[in-house]
Amino acid sequence: MRVDIVRPAVLFVLFAVSAAAAAPPVVTEVRPVPGAPDLFGPGIGVTNLDAGDLVAGSSRWDHDGDGIYFNETYVAFLASPATPTRVFAIPEDLYYGSVIDTVSEIADNGICVGTNLWRREFRNKPFVWTPNAGLHFLPCSTRGSAACMGSAAAVSADGRISVGYVSPQAQGASPRAARWSIVDGRRLRLTLRELETADAWSNAWDVSVDGGTAVGESGADEASIVAARWVGLKRQPMEAVGTASSALFVADDASGSIGWADLGGVRVLVRWDASGAATIAAPPGGGSVESVRAVNRAATAAVGAYSIGGNWAPFVWTVGGGFVTIPENGRETDYDRSEAFDVSDDGSTVVGYLGAQVISNGEPPQRAFLWNTSVGFVLVNDLMAAHGETDPDYFFADAISGDASRIVVTGNVSASIHDTNSVIVSLAYP
C-alpha cells in the first residue's frame, strides 16, 4: 500500500526559496570508472573520494585468460584515475567455490577490507587486500580454528586497524565484535582481538580515523542489542535508548557517533556525544527510520531514508537543522523506496536516488539526484544534459566528496563489457 508522506509545509517553502536563490552546479569534467580486460560487467560498491578518488566493487572474472567467466563467483577490484584497476585475485580452488567478495571500506592508502561469502558452505570470512600483499583472509578465531566466520566492516585511514565481527561456524552461534591489527611491511602480519563485552552478542560497524575508537552494538541477543563503543579494546559507557539500539558510524575524531534506536514503536535517529550522552531525533510526521546510509566526518549530519506507512522518503539530518525531507520530483506517492546515500562534510549537499518497489513500463523511472541547501533538488540527468550529454540515464548517485566538488553516479551503458557504468563527475557551484 502506498500512502502520501506527510511533511511539514515549511520545508516546501524552504525548497522553493532555495531553488530560486541559486543556480544548479555545472558539470566541468566526467571521468569513467574503468574496469579491466579480465572483468565482465563490473559494478561499484564503495568509494573514497577524499583520497585520490578510489572506487571499489565486484565483478565476474576471467581467472586464467581463456575468455570464459564462472558466473557464480564475483571478485573485488579497486579502481582509481591514477593507477590501473587492480583485481583482488583469488586461487583456483576458491574461484570455483561460488564466492562473492564485497569491499566494505577503502583506507586512504588503498588498503581494502570486506567479506568473502562462501555460498556453497553457507559461511563468510573477513578479508583484507593491500596493494603490496594482495588478498588475505583475516583471522576469525583467537584459538586458531578454521571453522569460523566473520566480516570486516571498516578500516582506519592508514589501513592498520579494522573492525567487524567473528563467530564460530556453528548453528545459532552469536557474533563477537572484533578488532584486527594489519601490518603491511616486508611480511603481512594480521592479529585478531575480540572487543570487550560481557554480552553474548556484539558487533562493530565503524572505526575512527586513527583506529582508536570503534562503535557498534552489544546485547544478550539480536533482539536486545544496545549501542556500544570501544576505546582500544575496552568498552565505554553509552546511554541506552529505547528497546534496542546500534551505533553505525563514528566521527573521524571519535567526538560523536550516529545510529538508531527503537523507541515507542518506531525507529529514531540517535547521536551520542563523546561522553556517551544521547540526543534523539525522530523523523517528521511520526515516521520511522529505515536506513542510515552515511554521516559526515564530524558525525553532525546523516542521510538515509525514513518511512510513513511503508512509503520511504530520503532525508538529511543535521545537528543544527534537524530532519529535512528531500523532495521526490513531485512524485512522492509514486517513489516509495527513495534513499539518500551520501552527504558532504558541511551537511549541505546530498546525493541519492528516487526509487520504487514497482516499476511498470518504465514508470516511475529510477533517477539519481543531488540536493543542496541553496540549490534545492536537481536530477543528475539534467546536470549531464546541460553538460552536453545526449539522453543521459543515471539511476544512482552513489557518493560525494567531502567538499561536494565530485560525485560518483551510475547509469548509461558502459564503454565495454569490461568497464563499469559509473563515472566520477566534477562540479562547479555558481
Side-chain angles (χ1 to χ4, degrees):
M1 177 181 177
R2 293 178 177 172
V3 300
D4 290 336
I5 294 183
V6 179
R7 300 180 174 90
V10 66
L11 295 182
F12 290 107
V13 174
L14 288 174
F15 294 149
V17 171
S18 297
V26 175
V27 175
T28 60
E29 185 181 19
V30 178
R31 292 173 294 159
V33 177
D38 52 355
L39 299 182
F40 184 89
I44 70 164
V46 298
T47 68
N48 185 341
L49 295 182
D50 297 315
D53 291 341
L54 303 175
V55 181
S58 297
S59 175
R60 284 169 286 186
W61 176 50
D62 178 7
H63 77 297
D64 58 6
D66 63 0
I68 300 174
Y69 299 85
F70 185 56
N71 286 332
E72 294 185 9
T73 287
Y74 285 74
V75 299
F77 65 89
L78 178 69
S80 75
T83 60
T85 297
R86 301 281 299 274
V87 178
F88 298 5
I90 57 177
E92 186 164 305
D93 60 340
L94 189 58
Y95 178 75
Y96 286 113
S98 298
V99 302
I100 298 177
D101 284 346
T102 302
V103 177
S104 299
E105 192 166 28
I106 311 168
D108 290 352
N109 56 8
I111 291 176
C112 299
V113 299
T115 304
N116 179 289
L117 175 63
W118 299 28
R119 290 186 288 179
R120 291 182 181 175
E121 298 188 18
F122 299 101
R123 64 170 172 155
N124 48 275
K125 300 196 75 170
F127 73 75
V128 60
W129 179 89
T130 83
N132 296 325
L135 183 72
H136 290 266
F137 289 121
L138 292 164
C140 56
S141 172
T142 56
R143 299 169 180 83
S145 171
C148 58
M149 306 192 304
S151 176
V155 65
S156 59
D158 62 5
R160 293 180 63 86
I161 298 295
S162 178
V163 298
Y165 81 86
V166 295
S167 171
Q169 188 182 353
Q171 186 175 1
S174 297
R176 303 282 293 182
R179 180 181 189 267
W180 292 275
S181 172
I182 302 166
V183 179
D184 186 21
R186 295 179 61 184
R187 181 175 64 89
L188 184 66
R189 290 182 292 159
L190 307 171
T191 305
L192 165 67
R193 297 288 299 276
E194 291 185 7
L195 298 178
E196 178 186 71
T197 182
D199 299 320
W201 175 292
S202 60
N203 195 355
W205 291 111
D206 199 14
V207 68
S208 58
V209 162
D210 66 0
T213 301
V215 297
E217 63 206 26
S218 185
D221 52 41
E222 188 176 9
S224 58
I225 55 174
V226 296
R229 180 183 59 175
W230 295 268
V231 176
L233 301 173
K234 300 296 183 181
R235 188 172 174 182
Q236 302 294 316
M238 291 187 80
E239 182 179 348
V241 180
T243 57
S245 61
S246 178
L248 303 178
F249 300 96
V250 65
D252 277 10
D253 62 359
S255 59
S257 56
I258 288 178
W260 57 265
D262 291 334
L263 182 66
V266 298
R267 181 158 289 187
V268 298
L269 192 76
V270 183
R271 184 182 192 273
W272 290 269
D273 64 19
S275 70
T279 298
I280 299 169
S288 182
V289 170
E290 295 288 351
S291 67
V292 184
R293 287 287 191 172
V295 305
N296 64 347
R297 289 178 179 271
T300 56
V303 295
Y306 77 90
S307 70
I308 295 178
N311 190 329
W312 293 28
F315 75 82
V316 56
W317 174 88
T318 60
V319 168
F323 268 92
V324 173
T325 307
I326 296 171
E328 296 170 271
N329 208 29
R331 303 183 64 175
E332 277 71 14
T333 57
D334 295 328
Y335 287 116
D336 60 358
R337 277 301 180 272
S338 303
E339 288 187 85
F341 287 152
D342 204 1
V343 61
S344 61
D345 284 347
D346 64 3
S348 70
T349 310
V350 176
V351 293
Y353 93 114
L354 306 182
Q357 291 187 87
V358 178
I359 299 176
S360 177
N361 296 320
E363 284 292 326
Q366 189 167 303
R367 292 287 184 256
F369 72 79
L370 178 145
W371 179 89
N372 175 274
T373 53
S374 298
V375 174
F377 177 90
V378 185
L379 289 174
V380 169
N381 283 350
D382 293 341
L383 297 178
M384 302 299 275
H387 183 61
E389 186 169 315
T390 302
D391 296 327
D393 182 17
Y394 292 93
F395 41 81
F396 279 121
D398 307 86
I400 189 168
S401 60
D403 62 3
S405 67
R406 298 177 313 288
I407 61 175
V408 174
V409 296
T410 298
N412 284 10
V413 178
S414 59
S416 77
I417 60 173
H418 307 296
D419 295 306
T420 77
N421 61 342
S422 300
V423 294
I424 300 173
V425 180
S426 296
L427 301 171
Y429 293 79

PDB file of all heavy atoms in Angstrom, residues 1 3-4 24 29 45 67 71 78 104 151 157 184 242 370 377 429:
ATOM      1  N   MET A   1       0.838  -1.198   0.000  1.00  0.00           N
ATOM      2  CA  MET A   1       0.000   0.000   0.000  1.00  0.00           C
ATOM      3  C   MET A   1       0.866   1.238   0.000  1.00  0.00           C
ATOM      4  O   MET A   1       1.800   1.358   0.768  1.00  0.00           O
ATOM      5  CB  MET A   1      -0.897   0.000   1.237  1.00  0.00           C
ATOM      6  CG  MET A   1      -1.762   1.239   1.365  1.00  0.00           C
ATOM      7  SD  MET A   1      -2.768   1.180   2.861  1.00  0.00           S
ATOM      8  CE  MET A   1      -3.576   2.772   2.746  1.00  0.00           C
ATOM      9  N   VAL A   3       1.113   5.388   0.478  1.00  0.00           N
ATOM     10  CA  VAL A   3       0.426   6.493   1.137  1.00  0.00           C
ATOM     11  C   VAL A   3       1.218   7.758   0.893  1.00  0.00           C
ATOM     12  O   VAL A   3       2.407   7.733   0.600  1.00  0.00           O
ATOM     13  CB  VAL A   3       0.294   6.254   2.658  1.00  0.00           C
ATOM     14  CG1 VAL A   3      -0.494   5.001   2.941  1.00  0.00           C
ATOM     15  CG2 VAL A   3       1.661   6.174   3.314  1.00  0.00           C
ATOM     16  N   ASP A   4       0.536   8.890   1.012  1.00  0.00           N
ATOM     17  CA  ASP A   4       1.228  10.162   0.928  1.00  0.00           C
ATOM     18  C   ASP A   4       2.075  10.355   2.172  1.00  0.00           C
ATOM     19  O   ASP A   4       1.622  10.079   3.293  1.00  0.00           O
ATOM     20  CB  ASP A   4       0.229  11.321   0.828  1.00  0.00           C
ATOM     21  CG  ASP A   4      -0.493  11.330  -0.507  1.00  0.00           C
ATOM     22  OD1 ASP A   4       0.070  10.768  -1.464  1.00  0.00           O
ATOM     23  OD2 ASP A   4      -1.604  11.873  -0.578  1.00  0.00           O
ATOM     24  N   PRO A  24      21.857  25.728 -10.317  1.00  0.00           N
ATOM     25  CA  PRO A  24      22.433  24.403 -10.049  1.00  0.00           C
ATOM     26  C   PRO A  24      23.908  24.375 -10.391  1.00  0.00           C
ATOM     27  O   PRO A  24      24.407  25.200 -11.159  1.00  0.00           O
ATOM     28  CB  PRO A  24      21.625  23.480 -10.960  1.00  0.00           C
ATOM     29  CG  PRO A  24      21.106  24.360 -12.038  1.00  0.00           C
ATOM     30  CD  PRO A  24      20.865  25.691 -11.399  1.00  0.00           C
ATOM     31  N   GLU A  29      33.757  18.159 -15.601  1.00  0.00           N
ATOM     32  CA  GLU A  29      34.521  17.011 -16.086  1.00  0.00           C
ATOM     33  C   GLU A  29      33.787  15.724 -15.747  1.00  0.00           C
ATOM     34  O   GLU A  29      33.154  15.627 -14.691  1.00  0.00           O
ATOM     35  CB  GLU A  29      35.914  16.983 -15.453  1.00  0.00           C
ATOM     36  CG  GLU A  29      36.822  15.891 -15.983  1.00  0.00           C
ATOM     37  CD  GLU A  29      38.186  15.869 -15.321  1.00  0.00           C
ATOM     38  OE1 GLU A  29      38.324  16.442 -14.217  1.00  0.00           O
ATOM     39  OE2 GLU A  29      39.114  15.266 -15.893  1.00  0.00           O
ATOM     40  N   GLY A  45      30.866  -0.514  -5.577  1.00  0.00           N
ATOM     41  CA  GLY A  45      30.212  -0.711  -4.297  1.00  0.00           C
ATOM     42  C   GLY A  45      30.506   0.383  -3.292  1.00  0.00           C
ATOM     43  O   GLY A  45      29.598   0.939  -2.684  1.00  0.00           O
ATOM     44  N   GLY A  67      38.938 -16.473 -21.650  1.00  0.00           N
ATOM     45  CA  GLY A  67      37.745 -15.811 -22.144  1.00  0.00           C
ATOM     46  C   GLY A  67      36.446 -16.363 -21.606  1.00  0.00           C
ATOM     47  O   GLY A  67      35.365 -15.959 -22.053  1.00  0.00           O
ATOM     48  N   ASN A  71      30.091 -17.749 -13.701  1.00  0.00           N
ATOM     49  CA  ASN A  71      29.073 -16.781 -13.317  1.00  0.00           C
ATOM     50  C   ASN A  71      28.727 -16.778 -11.838  1.00  0.00           C
ATOM     51  O   ASN A  71      28.076 -15.851 -11.362  1.00  0.00           O
ATOM     52  CB  ASN A  71      27.797 -17.005 -14.130  1.00  0.00           C
ATOM     53  CG  ASN A  71      27.921 -16.530 -15.562  1.00  0.00           C
ATOM     54  OD1 ASN A  71      28.678 -15.611 -15.852  1.00  0.00           O
ATOM     55  ND2 ASN A  71      27.173 -17.156 -16.461  1.00  0.00           N
ATOM     56  N   LEU A  78      39.776  -2.692  -7.270  1.00  0.00           N
ATOM     57  CA  LEU A  78      39.975  -1.302  -6.851  1.00  0.00           C
ATOM     58  C   LEU A  78      40.372  -0.484  -8.065  1.00  0.00           C
ATOM     59  O   LEU A  78      41.310  -0.837  -8.778  1.00  0.00           O
ATOM     60  CB  LEU A  78      41.063  -1.210  -5.777  1.00  0.00           C
ATOM     61  CG  LEU A  78      41.394   0.205  -5.278  1.00  0.00           C
ATOM     62  CD1 LEU A  78      40.219   0.770  -4.476  1.00  0.00           C
ATOM     63  CD2 LEU A  78      42.662   0.191  -4.427  1.00  0.00           C
ATOM     64  N   SER A 104      34.000  -3.455   2.033  1.00  0.00           N
ATOM     65  CA  SER A 104      33.243  -2.627   2.972  1.00  0.00           C
ATOM     66  C   SER A 104      33.766  -1.195   3.048  1.00  0.00           C
ATOM     67  O   SER A 104      32.991  -0.253   3.148  1.00  0.00           O
ATOM     68  CB  SER A 104      33.277  -3.247   4.373  1.00  0.00           C
ATOM     69  OG  SER A 104      32.706  -4.522   4.379  1.00  0.00           O
ATOM     70  N   SER A 151      33.235 -10.953   9.431  1.00  0.00           N
ATOM     71  CA  SER A 151      33.079  -9.899   8.440  1.00  0.00           C
ATOM     72  C   SER A 151      33.840  -8.675   8.905  1.00  0.00           C
ATOM     73  O   SER A 151      33.792  -8.326  10.094  1.00  0.00           O
ATOM     74  CB  SER A 151      31.591  -9.554   8.260  1.00  0.00           C
ATOM     75  OG  SER A 151      31.429  -8.468   7.372  1.00  0.00           O
ATOM     76  N   ALA A 157      42.101   5.110   8.621  1.00  0.00           N
ATOM     77  CA  ALA A 157      42.581   5.840   7.450  1.00  0.00           C
ATOM     78  C   ALA A 157      43.906   5.292   6.927  1.00  0.00           C
ATOM     79  O   ALA A 157      44.158   5.299   5.719  1.00  0.00           O
ATOM     80  CB  ALA A 157      42.714   7.324   7.774  1.00  0.00           C
ATOM     81  N   ASP A 184      51.381  -4.097   7.177  1.00  0.00           N
ATOM     82  CA  ASP A 184      51.761  -4.429   5.805  1.00  0.00           C
ATOM     83  C   ASP A 184      53.202  -3.991   5.559  1.00  0.00           C
ATOM     84  O   ASP A 184      53.465  -3.002   4.890  1.00  0.00           O
ATOM     85  CB  ASP A 184      50.799  -3.742   4.831  1.00  0.00           C
ATOM     86  CG  ASP A 184      51.041  -4.168   3.386  1.00  0.00           C
ATOM     87  OD1 ASP A 184      51.637  -5.238   3.187  1.00  0.00           O
ATOM     88  OD2 ASP A 184      50.645  -3.418   2.473  1.00  0.00           O
ATOM     89  N   GLY A 242      15.649   3.380  24.138  1.00  0.00           N
ATOM     90  CA  GLY A 242      14.620   2.501  23.616  1.00  0.00           C
ATOM     91  C   GLY A 242      14.833   1.043  23.972  1.00  0.00           C
ATOM     92  O   GLY A 242      15.559   0.687  24.890  1.00  0.00           O
ATOM     93  N   LEU A 370      20.797  15.091  -6.833  1.00  0.00           N
ATOM     94  CA  LEU A 370      21.642  15.892  -5.942  1.00  0.00           C
ATOM     95  C   LEU A 370      20.745  16.924  -5.293  1.00  0.00           C
ATOM     96  O   LEU A 370      19.888  17.517  -5.962  1.00  0.00           O
ATOM     97  CB  LEU A 370      22.774  16.557  -6.719  1.00  0.00           C
ATOM     98  CG  LEU A 370      23.733  17.478  -5.922  1.00  0.00           C
ATOM     99  CD1 LEU A 370      25.151  17.370  -6.460  1.00  0.00           C
ATOM    100  CD2 LEU A 370      23.280  18.944  -5.969  1.00  0.00           C
ATOM    101  N   PHE A 377      16.603  20.640  -5.086  1.00  0.00           N
ATOM    102  CA  PHE A 377      16.635  19.316  -5.717  1.00  0.00           C
ATOM    103  C   PHE A 377      16.995  19.424  -7.196  1.00  0.00           C
ATOM    104  O   PHE A 377      16.436  20.255  -7.920  1.00  0.00           O
ATOM    105  CB  PHE A 377      15.264  18.656  -5.551  1.00  0.00           C
ATOM    106  CG  PHE A 377      15.133  17.311  -6.206  1.00  0.00           C
ATOM    107  CD1 PHE A 377      15.441  16.154  -5.517  1.00  0.00           C
ATOM    108  CD2 PHE A 377      14.682  17.207  -7.516  1.00  0.00           C
ATOM    109  CE1 PHE A 377      15.304  14.909  -6.114  1.00  0.00           C
ATOM    110  CE2 PHE A 377      14.539  15.966  -8.123  1.00  0.00           C
ATOM    111  CZ  PHE A 377      14.848  14.815  -7.413  1.00  0.00           C
ATOM    112  N   TYR A 429      30.083  25.135  -8.464  1.00  0.00           N
ATOM    113  CA  TYR A 429      28.872  25.761  -7.955  1.00  0.00           C
ATOM    114  C   TYR A 429      28.921  27.253  -8.243  1.00  0.00           C
ATOM    115  O   TYR A 429      29.848  27.944  -7.808  1.00  0.00           O
ATOM    116  CB  TYR A 429      28.730  25.513  -6.448  1.00  0.00           C
ATOM    117  CG  TYR A 429      28.486  24.059  -6.117  1.00  0.00           C
ATOM    118  CD1 TYR A 429      29.548  23.152  -6.098  1.00  0.00           C
ATOM    119  CD2 TYR A 429      27.217  23.593  -5.842  1.00  0.00           C
ATOM    120  CE1 TYR A 429      29.333  21.813  -5.809  1.00  0.00           C
ATOM    121  CE2 TYR A 429      26.991  22.252  -5.552  1.00  0.00           C
ATOM    122  CZ  TYR A 429      28.055  21.368  -5.535  1.00  0.00           C
ATOM    123  OH  TYR A 429      27.838  20.041  -5.250  1.00  0.00           O
TER     124      TYR A 429
END
